[in-house]
Amino acid sequence: MKMEFIGEGPALIIEGRQRMLVVADLHFGIEADLAAHGLHFKSRSESRLERLHKVIDLTKPDELVLLGDIKHSIPSLTWQEHHEMPQILDSLRTRLPLHVFPGNHDIGIERFLHDGEIRPKDGVVLDGVGYLHGHMIPSPALAGHLVVIGHHHPMLSLRDEVGCALQSPAYLRAEIDTFDTGKGPALKNSSPSRILFIPSFNEIAGYDILQIIKKPFSPLSRLMKKENTEIILADGTYIGPLRALITDETD
Amino acid sequence: MKQIELLNPKVQECIKKRGFTHLSDAQSRAIPLILHGKHLVLIAPTGTGKTESAMFPVFNGLLSLPAGGGFKALYITPLRALNRDILSRMQWWCGELGLTVGVRHGDTPMGERRKQALKPPDLLITTPETLQALFMGKRLRQHLKQVRYVIVDEVHDLAGSKRGAQLSVALERLHVYAGEFQRIGLSATVGNPEEIARFLCGARPCSVVQVPVAKHLEISVKYVGDDFKHQTDVLSKALKREGSTLVFVNTRVTAEALGHALFEHGDVEVHHGSLSKEVRIDAEERFKKGEIRTLICTSSMELGIDIGRVDHVIQFGSPREVARLVQRVGRAGHQLNTISRGTVFATGFDDLLESLVIAKKAKGNEIEPVVLPRNAADVLANQVAAIAVEYGEIERSAILEILERTALFSGCEVLLEDVCHQMEEHRLIRNNGGRIITTARARRYLSSNLSMIHDERKVPVFDMVSRRTVGTLDESFVVGWVHTGAVFITKGQLWRVLDIADGKLTVEPAKKAQGELPSWEGEQIPVPYNVAREAGEIRRKQNISDYTDGHEGIAFAKAFLSEMDKNRSLVPTDDLITLENTEEGVVCNVCAGHKANEALGRVLSILISARYGTTVGLDLDAYRMLLRLPSSIRAADVRDLLLTLEPAHMSGILRLALKRTALFKWKLVQIAKKFGAIDADADYEKISIHRLLDFFDNTVVQQEAYRELLSDYMDVDTAAAIVALIKEEKIRVDLGPHSLIGAGGLLSSRDQIPPPTADHAVIASLKRRLEQDDVVLACMNCRDWKSRTVVSRVPENPQCPKCGARLIAAIKPYDEEQYAMIRKPKKNSEERAVEQRLIKSANIVLSSGKKAVIALSARGVGPENASRILGTQAEGDAFYREILKAERTFIQTHRYWS
């Protein structure tokens, strides 16, 4: 298995037998929600989709994994989404096969999908790698595999001696012992897994990594072990262990 | 008295009835001009009967008009408090003359408003913002048709601001309904009366009547020591004499502190903008009645609110500007033709010299000019939205016609087009060819954006540890800059951000100044260039006795300068810049005033951040800047930059780098609000506002942020002129030890300038990580010594303490057992391979020393990779870039992921 980090996305290529392009959290239609929160901007769907097509041109993948939150509005679809989603998905599926892992924002997306495109919400293993959006407990079938998730929109603020010098989307590579959250029925045969949190493709979504650690908002972020979590920038630059950021915090 | 005879006998009678025995200089010169229908700006000190000068002839005119039918005269003031004052004065006159008068502003009750809409008063007293609201109502718009006179009070206060720019457009919108009306501006003394006239009238001819202020002023400067206790003792003594005193201070904090210290007097009250309206009015009333003798106030009392007799004015601390001192001292002696007496209490070395210079300039009538903000795009956006709501649909050319009549927006055709385009992006209007159409949002936008004053939400700062609120920050600052983990200064203490949620910033006290952010406790009153420069001249000539005969001040300044000499410190002056190393960074002592120092300090910070790849923190005042730097960058490095700086490049450098600063983002948010992109009550918590602000790249919103910052906030031209003087060797630059002058003044951090590319930050973090990494050093010669340490403690050329050999392998801590493995007498093939790797590791440490150890500590870098990296011969940042490349390759591999 080989990885390529595509800074222009952010997007990830995972190459085993297949060349998979993975993107998460497109949030098409986010502008309507922004307006409801008092931020008024015209739709950037077009340039966002164009960026995705450029990444496809650049990486020439075999298949495309859409790791959830493809659309934004919940609980119901907006007029904008009704209008845009079929065109967006068509433009992609004419180029390559799609795997859609529905996220918490994807209520009602089924109607825009073709047969065989939708994958289970709690994930599935494709070509040796587990995928899910990341808002729920993964299926036991994913245990022991590398599990790739979206949902968290990780972003890194890097500081130097004097001040904050960089803010950038980033990946988090974490480990967990088991998918067992302590709630619900105990999972048998659950073995340690690597989890890769991938940054949001949407250009304005982003949570500070420290926020994710301090206030975990998903089963997997609650289970992750802080001590051997590592950070990688969107372009694949290795930043190092999370530890360094945390000690920075508490000295 | 012959000018009185020009007036209607009814008005003359009232004047006599009111007990005026003669007209003031201002009145007798202004009345005939106004009677002749001339537009007029009347410039006179407070208390010279300015209001009456304007109103006598206006009453005259109103009496000759038919009764009813609409507003006939508008009296506009910048403050509601002034409106109340003017109303109570006008009620008597209008009552006597059979005219009707009303006031309308934000506090006016609904019932009163309805009455005005049904039965408009002849004279309406209002604020610029409420004038905006008048255009929104159908019936009120009709009433505007009858307007014949507009009086703008305290016009100097409005002309230099975006509020004024908005008013200038409103006057031309009024022109559409009322045709030509007569304009009268009442102004305090300014350096450029003609600009004020242009502001008021555009291209129309306008007369100016100016009553000199200097002969009415008597100003002294008294040095009161730098200890607050002593200062209040002196103040306390000064307040014990006969009569009433206004004490002006520059900040609300000082006002509160003084009020607290003087509490026991029992006849002292505090008056500033953060107090409630009721508390302020109560203080004003009690002062007027003589129940209290002292009022401690901020600029809230500068404008002509009537508080009765003031016998003396004390300015506590330097007034910063000549205009401000004149205005403040002008509050004393409120009777026609009496002399205004004021004393400046100077509280330190800079403060004393500055106060003396300002007092001298006040006596010489050298008042600062008012700079009109021309072509402010956010004002334009605000007014386009207002006009769209007013008309529903309108041709852009008709809007242009309105704008072209103002002095502030002439030649704005292209800008108007850009603004309209941008507003459509934010759904505030629609463009249909050349036609502007209002939207559902526009009216809502307008009701919360009647004012160009940035009505900032204040975000409370809550300390988790002491569980109390320690202060507030401007919201625009918080959303544009603050993030979890950020450290900033407020109230002289460092705080780390734990959380931003529910409109509250949760913090904990921070110990170290690392990653420190600017605080934002309101903008300071800037000291102008020529004041700072002359203060520098006094330092050079040591001629303080030319300015004052106050012996305390002279003695203090002499002692201060001889202390500087004793420490062998260099005294920075108007022709000497000194640079000093301190623990925190480098102090540059430059006597250039706030705005020029802001520009120069930022240019230097940008160049340093680019050259050394570090963030630079910047603090400054009128006389010095502190560049917060890593300890490796010294004063000599800053001097080299200053000496090689090209004046012509400065503006370009600022433009490039400003975008990444807190200041710029703060401005951008404010302007975006006026373009309707961000609602006043927007909720930012769910998104990354930093990235949202990137949407404004290359738009008119961004352009306006640049315009405002480069023209109002800093003075690039003056900073460039100083650099040119350095080039001509008319200003010298010297290095000196940290001095009393260098240590003075600065309190809190203002901004920080990050390096231009992420590359620097990434390399800095890589260096830090590798230095902190554990490493096991193991001797491959005697094979009997190993030691675990951190990379930063590894010597340049590691050596075995047992056998003295330099054949030392660097092993990653988790591979430590490999050393035991190779010491086994019998090895399998795998163990022999490990041995080969360790020998290779030791060989490259032998040839490259610590550098090899650093490379070997990188993630996924073994001896093979390390020798390739070292083989590139790269040094410094290039060496680390090679390591980054190797790590990037490693994390793409299966080995890292499984």
Side-chain angles (χ1 to χ4, degrees):
Chain A
M1 182 184 65
K2 215 175 137 2
M3 300 274 196
E4 286 168 37
F5 295 86
I6 316 300
E8 292 84 346
L12 184 65
I13 286 278
I14 302 183
E15 187 166 352
R17 274 169 297 147
Q18 298 269 48
R19 221 175 131 75
M20 305 287 233
L21 176 63
V22 189
V23 294
D25 300 293
L26 293 152
H27 291 274
F28 280 111
I30 193 171
E31 295 81 7
D33 190 34
L34 289 181
H37 287 89
L39 303 159
H40 307 273
F41 291 85
K42 73 167 188 213
S43 166
R44 276 178 165 67
S45 295
E46 207 173 301
S47 64
R48 201 171 301 134
L49 182 62
E50 203 174 293
R51 186 153 48 93
L52 181 51
H53 278 291
K54 274 197 189 131
V55 170
I56 296 172
D57 295 341
L58 187 76
T59 56
K60 301 188 172 55
D62 300 320
E63 293 176 5
L64 174 61
V65 175
L66 294 174
L67 217 46
D69 289 358
I70 293 133
K71 63 174 213 61
H72 185 80
S73 167
I74 39 177
S76 58
L77 287 160
T78 59
W79 179 87
Q80 186 192 353
E81 288 172 351
H82 257 295
H83 184 71
E84 286 182 355
M85 283 319 292
Q87 295 173 28
I88 289 168
L89 291 166
D90 275 348
S91 80
L92 295 169
R93 65 168 63 94
T94 54
R95 301 190 65 181
L96 71 182
L98 304 182
H99 302 273
V100 176
F101 291 84
N104 46 319
H105 281 267
D106 291 323
I107 298 165
I109 197 154
E110 306 79 17
R111 75 185 68 188
F112 305 120
L113 297 177
H114 291 183
D115 285 348
E117 284 178 344
I118 197 155
R119 298 283 167 268
K121 277 189 191 142
D122 62 350
V124 83
V125 177
L126 299 175
D127 201 6
V129 175
Y131 294 96
L132 74 155
H133 175 59
H135 61 302
M136 49 200 297
I137 303 168
S139 137
L142 272 60
H145 291 273
L146 171 65
V147 177
V148 181
I149 59 170
H151 187 58
H152 296 81
H153 312 172
M155 221 174 54
L156 173 70
S157 301
L158 206 55
R159 277 172 288 142
D160 61 20
E161 257 184 82
V162 184
C164 176
L166 163 74
Q167 282 202 314
S168 159
Y171 294 81
L172 275 180
R173 192 194 69 153
E175 277 177 28
I176 59 172
D177 285 331
T178 162
F179 294 157
D180 193 353
T181 55
K183 298 167 194 168
L187 292 166
K188 293 188 184 91
N189 311 325
S190 193
S191 50
S193 309
R194 285 255 161 85
I195 311 289
L196 178 62
F197 295 71
I198 79 173
S200 140
F201 190 87
N202 183 291
E203 59 282 2
I204 56 166
Y207 281 110
D208 201 294
I209 284 172
L210 293 172
Q211 285 283 76
I212 299 175
I213 303 297
K214 278 186 186 158
K215 284 189 172 176
F217 51 88
S218 69
L220 290 174
S221 58
R222 276 188 284 270
L223 288 168
M224 67 191 269
K225 294 193 283 188
K226 285 180 210 168
E227 56 280 9
N228 47 14
T229 296
E230 298 188 321
I231 301 165
I232 299 161
L233 289 188
D235 67 353
T237 302
Y238 177 72
I239 289 296
L242 176 68
R243 239 182 335 189
L245 285 189
I246 305 261
T247 45
D248 221 354
E249 276 277 281
T250 46
D251 57 6
Chain B
M1 258 331 237
K2 71 177 191 333
Q3 283 87 357
I4 278 194
E5 288 154 22
L6 298 170
L7 296 165
N8 182 311
K10 272 193 184 167
V11 179
Q12 290 190 39
E13 207 173 296
C14 283
I15 293 173
K16 282 180 199 133
K17 203 167 170 185
R18 197 65 173 163
F20 284 98
T21 50
H22 64 284
L23 293 180
S24 72
D25 186 18
Q27 288 164 345
S28 45
R29 287 168 62 191
I31 288 170
L33 289 166
I34 299 175
L35 283 174
H36 278 109
K38 296 248 194 315
H39 301 305
L40 174 78
V41 170
L42 171 60
I43 296 179
T46 331
T48 48
K50 259 189 293 185
T51 305
E52 288 74 14
S53 310
M55 291 314 293
F56 292 163
V58 170
F59 290 144
N60 216 68
L62 293 178
L63 287 174
S64 66
L65 293 170
F71 308 121
K72 299 195 186 72
L74 299 179
Y75 193 107
I76 298 165
T77 89
L79 287 179
R80 290 173 198 177
L82 267 176
N83 282 355
R84 283 195 299 272
D85 229 58
I86 300 289
L87 177 68
S88 66
R89 280 156 78 181
M90 288 304 129
Q91 268 164 340
W92 184 86
W93 292 96
C94 290
E96 291 289 318
L97 293 167
L99 297 167
T100 50
V101 58
V103 69
R104 189 184 182 102
H105 50 223
D107 298 340
T108 311
M110 275 319 281
E112 180 67 27
R113 286 169 191 242
R114 206 170 308 121
K115 231 163 57 195
Q116 286 170 359
L118 295 173
K119 214 171 168 296
D122 299 317
L123 170 64
L124 183 71
I125 301 162
T126 189
T127 57
E129 288 70 30
T130 302
L131 175 59
Q132 290 288 324
L134 294 182
F135 290 101
M136 288 174 76
K138 211 184 205 170
R139 201 186 289 267
L140 289 168
R141 282 203 291 266
Q142 293 306 309
H143 297 333
L144 291 175
K145 287 185 175 167
Q146 304 302 322
V147 171
R148 290 292 165 269
Y149 302 94
V150 172
I151 301 99
V152 182
D153 203 352
E154 310 281 0
V155 60
H156 63 283
D157 187 64
L158 289 165
S161 70
K162 287 187 173 181
R163 275 183 93 190
Q166 185 197 40
L167 175 62
S168 78
V169 179
L171 293 181
E172 301 311 333
R173 288 165 63 195
L174 178 59
H175 179 274
V176 175
Y177 295 96
E180 280 299 339
F181 48 85
Q182 198 174 347
R183 299 164 189 236
I184 302 158
L186 307 178
S187 171
T189 315
V190 294
N192 51 347
E194 284 71 26
E195 272 297 84
I196 302 290
R198 263 192 292 279
F199 163 77
L200 188 68
C201 301
R204 302 168 185 87
C206 178
S207 311
V208 174
V209 167
Q210 200 166 5
V211 176
V213 67
K215 65 176 184 191
H216 295 280
L217 292 179
E218 204 179 284
I219 297 171
S220 60
V221 175
K222 185 180 173 67
Y223 178 70
V224 295
D226 53 7
D227 168 58
F228 188 69
K229 176 80 177 58
H230 184 248
Q231 291 163 1
T232 51
D233 287 349
V234 177
L235 180 58
S236 179
K237 230 176 270 168
L239 295 177
K240 287 208 171 97
R241 74 169 152 224
E242 283 294 299
S244 59
T245 309
L246 272 185
V247 181
F248 278 102
V249 298
N250 292 335
T251 69
R252 289 167 191 184
V253 178
T254 318
E256 289 293 342
L258 281 182
H260 184 74
L262 299 174
F263 183 71
E264 58 189 31
H265 277 246
D267 57 0
V268 177
E269 282 286 356
V270 175
H271 188 283
H272 60 71
S274 295
L275 298 170
S276 72
K277 190 179 88 184
E278 290 72 25
V279 173
R280 274 182 284 158
I281 292 176
D282 179 61
E284 289 162 22
E285 289 297 323
R286 290 176 59 209
F287 188 85
K288 209 172 186 170
K289 287 187 205 147
E291 290 171 22
I292 49 172
R293 296 201 306 138
T294 305
L295 204 54
I296 300 168
C297 51
T298 58
S299 50
S300 58
M301 268 291 138
E302 242 164 55
L303 302 181
I305 297 168
D306 183 17
I307 46 162
R309 187 186 159 85
V310 179
D311 294 301
H312 200 87
V313 165
I314 290 174
Q315 163 68 38
F316 191 87
S318 159
R320 302 291 187 97
E321 290 174 332
V322 183
R324 208 166 278 270
L325 180 63
V326 169
Q327 181 88 346
R328 289 178 171 186
V329 174
R331 294 306 312 254
H334 231 204
Q335 297 272 306
L336 303 187
N337 296 327
T338 58
I339 287 195
S340 298
R341 289 196 176 79
T343 310
V344 180
F345 277 21
T347 59
F349 183 70
D350 288 344
D351 209 61
L352 173 63
L353 267 51
E354 188 176 293
S355 302
L356 290 171
V357 171
I358 291 172
K360 184 178 153 225
K361 284 182 182 295
K363 285 172 217 156
N365 216 12
E366 294 174 50
I367 320 273
E368 293 88 4
V370 172
V371 182
L372 305 185
R374 286 175 202 274
N375 287 327
D378 52 345
V379 176
L380 212 52
N382 176 267
Q383 287 302 282
V384 168
I387 293 170
V389 168
E390 182 184 337
Y391 293 92
E393 275 188 48
I394 186 171
E395 290 295 325
R396 198 167 62 222
S397 58
I399 299 179
L400 189 63
E401 225 172 276
I402 292 172
L403 295 168
E404 292 281 3
R405 284 200 297 268
T406 68
L408 296 167
F409 293 99
S410 54
C412 67
E413 185 168 4
V414 177
L415 183 66
L416 177 65
E417 204 172 315
D418 290 348
V419 164
C420 290
H421 176 74
Q422 188 70 27
M423 290 169 73
E424 183 167 65
E425 154 118 28
H426 307 303
R427 302 199 175 88
L428 207 48
I429 55 164
R430 282 190 296 127
N431 290 303
N432 190 350
R435 229 172 148 67
I436 307 291
I437 303 161
T438 187
T439 63
R441 264 196 70 221
R443 186 170 275 270
R444 210 166 350 112
Y445 157 86
L446 218 53
S447 59
S448 54
N449 285 283
L450 282 176
S451 171
M452 291 307 296
I453 304 171
H454 296 291
D455 191 13
E456 283 282 347
R457 252 194 303 186
K458 296 287 177 185
V459 178
V461 180
F462 181 78
D463 175 18
M464 267 296 269
V465 178
S466 64
R467 305 212 61 84
R468 68 196 168 90
T469 302
V470 292
T472 60
L473 289 175
D474 272 10
E475 185 189 45
S476 309
F477 167 64
V478 173
V479 301
W481 196 248
V482 174
H483 55 94
T484 310
V487 176
F488 64 94
I489 300 182
T490 190
K491 309 278 176 235
Q493 211 186 327
L494 285 167
W495 305 97
R496 173 177 293 111
V497 178
L498 297 173
D499 196 15
I500 312 163
D502 311 322
K504 186 168 81 173
L505 204 63
T506 307
V507 300
E508 63 180 8
K511 287 180 209 83
K512 240 169 53 177
Q514 195 180 59
E516 174 188 311
L517 277 161
S519 63
W520 226 265
E521 298 169 71
E523 289 172 61
Q524 294 188 336
I525 306 158
V527 175
Y529 169 73
N530 55 8
V531 170
R533 195 124 173 91
E534 194 167 329
E537 187 188 299
I538 301 178
R539 289 184 191 172
R540 174 167 55 90
K541 293 187 177 164
Q542 311 216 349
N543 59 342
I544 187 164
S545 44
D546 293 354
Y547 288 80
T548 178
D549 31 9
H551 57 90
E552 293 124 315
I554 296 175
F556 164 72
K558 284 226 166 88
F560 187 93
L561 288 170
S562 76
E563 186 68 22
M564 287 283 289
D565 282 344
K566 221 181 342 177
N567 300 337
R568 296 176 194 282
S569 303
L570 294 171
V571 177
T573 67
D574 55 341
D575 58 16
L576 174 66
I577 291 172
T578 65
L579 306 178
E580 305 170 358
N581 284 316
T582 75
E583 269 179 29
E584 287 170 290
V586 175
V587 176
C588 313
N589 294 293
V590 186
C591 299
H594 279 95
K595 289 183 178 180
N597 275 354
E598 186 86 49
L600 186 58
R602 280 175 185 277
V603 168
L604 287 175
S605 306
I606 292 159
L607 293 175
I608 293 168
S609 74
R611 177 170 300 183
Y612 298 96
T614 172
T615 305
V616 179
L618 175 66
D619 294 4
L620 60 86
D621 67 15
Y623 306 97
R624 58 186 71 72
M625 329 163 207
L626 167 62
L627 305 171
R628 291 179 196 269
L629 302 167
S631 49
S632 58
I633 307 169
R634 309 304 288 162
D637 301 313
V638 177
R639 179 187 54 188
D640 293 348
L641 276 174
L642 194 54
L643 292 177
T644 51
L645 188 56
E646 277 301 326
H649 295 166
M650 291 172 66
S651 154
I653 291 170
L654 276 171
R655 251 172 201 282
L656 275 179
L658 214 48
K659 197 182 161 222
R660 288 173 287 111
T661 65
L663 174 70
F664 188 78
K665 290 180 179 175
W666 172 72
K667 246 318 142 220
L668 203 59
V669 170
Q670 288 185 345
I671 293 165
K673 284 183 178 171
K674 293 298 160 210
F675 270 87
I678 301 177
D679 285 351
D681 59 351
D683 167 12
Y684 311 91
E685 278 160 26
K686 288 176 77 180
I687 57 140
S688 164
I689 189 86
H690 303 270
R691 302 174 80 188
L692 191 74
L693 293 181
D694 288 343
F695 289 175
F696 293 114
D697 282 2
N698 305 315
T699 65
V700 65
V701 175
Q702 191 188 53
Q703 193 184 312
E704 172 61 20
Y706 278 125
R707 189 205 63 81
E708 189 177 343
L709 291 176
L710 293 177
S711 67
D712 299 357
Y713 201 82
M714 55 189 88
D715 184 347
V716 189
D717 293 342
T718 302
I722 290 166
V723 173
L725 287 173
I726 295 171
K727 281 228 167 324
E728 294 163 24
E729 295 179 8
K730 291 195 175 125
I731 294 180
R732 284 177 302 126
V733 179
D734 259 333
L735 304 182
H738 193 32
S739 70
L740 278 173
I741 286 182
L746 305 167
L747 277 172
S748 64
S749 167
R750 284 165 65 98
D751 206 350
Q752 53 178 238
I753 289 82
T757 61
D759 182 59
H760 289 294
V762 170
I763 288 175
S765 103
L766 171 67
K767 279 184 192 166
R768 227 171 25 224
R769 161 161 61 88
L770 294 179
E771 272 182 8
Q772 287 163 8
D773 264 348
D774 280 358
V775 63
V776 176
L777 299 180
C779 181
M780 293 303 289
N781 183 43
C782 65
R783 302 201 177 192
D784 195 26
W785 174 81
K786 66 167 180 165
S787 162
R788 187 168 171 151
T789 180
V790 262
V791 171
S792 60
R793 287 202 214 108
V794 171
E796 274 317 309
N797 291 296
Q799 196 172 3
C800 172
K802 278 209 167 150
C803 71
R806 290 176 185 268
L807 197 65
I808 307 291
I811 309 172
K812 295 208 165 71
Y814 52 84
D815 286 336
E816 196 170 345
E817 77 274 15
Q818 289 181 350
Y819 194 56
M821 205 186 283
I822 61 146
R823 289 166 69 191
K824 285 199 286 190
K826 268 192 170 173
K827 301 179 200 59
N828 61 27
S829 64
E830 197 185 316
E831 285 160 349
R832 273 199 300 280
V834 168
E835 183 179 26
Q836 283 312 307
R837 279 170 55 81
L838 292 191
I839 289 170
K840 181 139 199 211
S841 165
N843 272 319
I844 57 177
V845 175
L846 176 67
S847 57
S848 300
K850 183 173 183 174
K851 209 173 152 190
V853 177
I854 293 171
L856 284 162
S857 301
R859 194 67 203 257
V861 173
E864 304 288 336
N865 257 326
S867 76
R868 191 197 51 76
I869 291 169
L870 293 163
T872 62
Q873 307 280 327
E875 292 291 336
D877 282 358
F879 167 64
Y880 286 97
R881 242 173 246 126
E882 289 298 327
I883 293 180
L884 278 177
K885 220 190 286 172
E887 288 187 333
R888 197 175 294 166
T889 310
F890 171 67
I891 61 162
Q892 297 186 351
T893 61
H894 188 69
R895 203 148 59 87
Y896 178 73
W897 290 101
S898 52

